[in-house]
């Protein structure tokens, strides 16, 4: 069965949010050390949705469809516009004629062909091609992807609520933390806005955030803190000491991804477990984090680090080092299929970015969503996702001028 056609669909739809602006807050970023960036609001940060009013947003997303000469279609995405551009210019014609089921062969060829494509956006493109081909393989065999990977190890997975984009204003923070605990989420992750350039006031606000979260979410909720690469070694070790009385489950991405020796230094001295790896790629990048004892918990992203084929290898490596992995949450349907085929000891949670998933799964007829904090593993053939024509206001074939 050969690949006969590759399409990149750009879909536009309208997301309604009657309770107010979609993004209430953003996360701290490494670039925030510069005042002009520090001052930016979430709406200036060049995120989706592409345009917004206080009550509705326009969502424009690109999806990859790979069609075979048998008439089967594999779906991947959504992807970033950068990735769609690369799919159009580098891979659309290249994929034609390849064996659609030989995913390992195709991954290896793509990896060997582009020696500069090992990290970043080119690896996003390889990842989504691989994910679409696993969807296609599942449809061809009439089985969900998790079955092809050896699962299910369980029929539902605990999700943690990743609270990016919610206000950090104390009253709202307390209300949301209590509400998500009451919904059944056993864990929540929050994103402080303050780092080394915010001085003593920032330190105090980080601690105050954690204090409110613990008192509002309750003693039995796992609470995680994501510094999104924006702290440094002494700041992180100091914050770990200050946050420890409130028992955080982990501190995430304290420094920039290239600072692997600094990760090792932090992990060795921190009183709170350290997570990372969402901005690392392939088995080779992840193995370096494992070999250097950089993290207590790995967070490679299925849609960034190499797709399902590469994540199988990454997850096997992590299990051999006894480091749990929770795939980063930009591809919940794919992460659920993968996680449902792995030991609960190795994958303790699925990350569910509450607001991002309103966007990323907007066009799906059957979005993969938690109920009472748990995600039921879909049993439809393939990845279990389908585009809902009723969600589309307009559509075009994505091309690059
Ligand atoms: Mg993160």
């Amino acid at each position: 069965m050969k690949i006969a056609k590759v399409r990149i669909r750009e879909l536009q739809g309208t997301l309604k949010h009657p309770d107010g602006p979609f993004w209430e807050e953003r996360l701290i970023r490494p670039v925030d050390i510069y005042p002009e960036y520090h001052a930016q609001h979430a709406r200036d940060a060049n995120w989706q949705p592409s345009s917004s009013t206080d009550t509705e947003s326009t969502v424009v997303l690109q999806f990859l469809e790979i069609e075979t000469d048998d008439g089967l279609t594999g779906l991947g995405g959504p992807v970033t516009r950068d990735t769609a551009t690369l799919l159009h210019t580098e891979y659309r014609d290249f994929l034609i004629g390849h064996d659609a089921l030989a995913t390992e062969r195709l991954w290896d060829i793509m990896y060997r062909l582009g020696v500069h494509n090992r990290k970043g956006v080119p690896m996003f493109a390889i990842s989504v091609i691989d994910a679409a081909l696993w969807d296609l393989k599942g449809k061809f065999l009439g089985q969900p992807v998790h079955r092809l990977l050896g699962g299910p190890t369980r029929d539902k997975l605990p999700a943690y609520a990743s609270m990016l984009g919610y206000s950090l204003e104390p009253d709202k923070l307390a209300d949301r933390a209590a509400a998500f605990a009451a919904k059944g989420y056993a864990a929540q992750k929050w994103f402080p806005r303050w780092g080394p350039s915010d001085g003593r006031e920032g330190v105090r606000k980080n601690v105050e955030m954690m204090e409110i979260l613990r008192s509002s979410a309750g003693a039995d909720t796992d609470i995680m803190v994501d510094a999104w690469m924006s702290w440094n070694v002494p700041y992180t070790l100091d914050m770990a000491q200050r946050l420890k009385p409130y028992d955080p489950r982990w501190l995430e991405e304290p420094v920039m991804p290239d600072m692997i020796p600094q990760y090792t230094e932090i992990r060795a001295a921190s009183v709170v477990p350290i997570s990372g790896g969402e901005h690392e790629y392939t088995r080779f990048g992840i193995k370096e984090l494992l070999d250097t004892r950089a993290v207590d918990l790995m967070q490679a992203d299925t849609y960034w680090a190499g797709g399902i084929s590469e994540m199988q290898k990454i997850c096997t490596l992590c299990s051999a080092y006894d480091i749990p992995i929770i795939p980063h949450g930009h591809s919940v349907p794919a992460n659920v299929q993968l996680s449902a085929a792995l030991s609960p000891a190795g994958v303790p949670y699925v990350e569910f970015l509450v607001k991002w998933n309103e966007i990323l799964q907007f066009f799906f007829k059957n979005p993969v969503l938690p109920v009472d904090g748990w995600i039921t593993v879909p049993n439809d053939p393939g990845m279990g996702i389908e585009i809902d024509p009723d969600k589309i206001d307009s559509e075009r074939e994505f091309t690059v001028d």
Side-chain angles (χ1 to χ4, degrees), residues 180-383:
F180 275 79
K183 277 186 191 192
Y185 286 97
Q188 303 179 16
K189 185 167 83 191
W190 286 82
F191 299 75
R193 268 296 295 274
W194 308 283
S197 58
D198 296 295
R200 299 183 65 83
E201 190 196 0
V203 171
R204 186 179 53 72
K205 285 184 166 176
N206 282 338
V207 175
E208 183 189 60
M209 182 191 95
M210 187 69 204
E211 194 178 358
I212 293 169
L213 289 173
R214 176 53 69 208
S215 63
S216 308
D220 294 334
T221 298
D222 280 337
I223 297 170
M224 294 80 90
V225 173
D226 190 340
W228 214 66
M229 311 170 273
S230 301
W231 292 358
N232 58 37
V233 175
Y235 193 88
T236 305
L237 293 177
D238 180 52
M239 285 311 313
Q241 290 284 356
R242 291 172 189 268
L243 299 183
K244 177 69 178 168
Y246 309 100
D247 197 17
R249 169 104 182 224
W250 72 69
L251 285 181
E252 181 163 328
E253 274 206 302
V255 293
M256 292 191 72
D258 284 329
M259 296 188 179
I260 295 173
Q262 288 83 348
Y263 261 100
T264 306
E265 192 181 343
I266 290 168
R267 187 194 176 201
S270 174
V271 293
V272 175
I274 300 299
S275 73
E278 73 183 66
H279 298 106
E280 195 45 80
Y281 307 89
T282 75
R283 78 202 89 144
F284 304 106
I286 296 301
K287 185 170 185 293
E288 191 177 358
L289 295 178
L290 293 166
D291 284 337
T292 53
R293 307 290 189 269
V295 295
D296 295 284
L297 177 94
M298 196 65 77
Q299 295 167 304
D301 187 301
T302 307
Y303 259 49
W304 297 347
I308 295 284
S309 298
E310 194 64 6
M311 283 296 275
Q312 283 187 286
K313 300 174 178 77
I314 287 170
C315 293
T316 302
L317 272 174
C318 289
S319 75
Y321 284 76
D322 199 23
I323 295 294
I325 179 164
I326 302 176
H328 177 251
H330 262 279
S331 45
V332 167
N335 288 347
V336 165
Q337 295 293 336
L338 178 74
S339 302
L342 295 164
S343 165
V347 188
Y349 281 115
V350 170
E351 178 175 18
F352 186 75
L353 281 148
V354 179
K355 281 186 173 284
W356 260 121
N357 272 282
E358 284 192 51
I359 297 171
L360 296 172
Q361 297 202 66
F362 174 81
F363 288 106
F364 295 152
K365 188 177 274 181
N366 40 3
V368 181
L369 305 173
V371 176
D372 301 330
W374 290 80
I375 296 179
T376 299
V377 180
N379 274 314
D380 301 318
M383 216 64 91

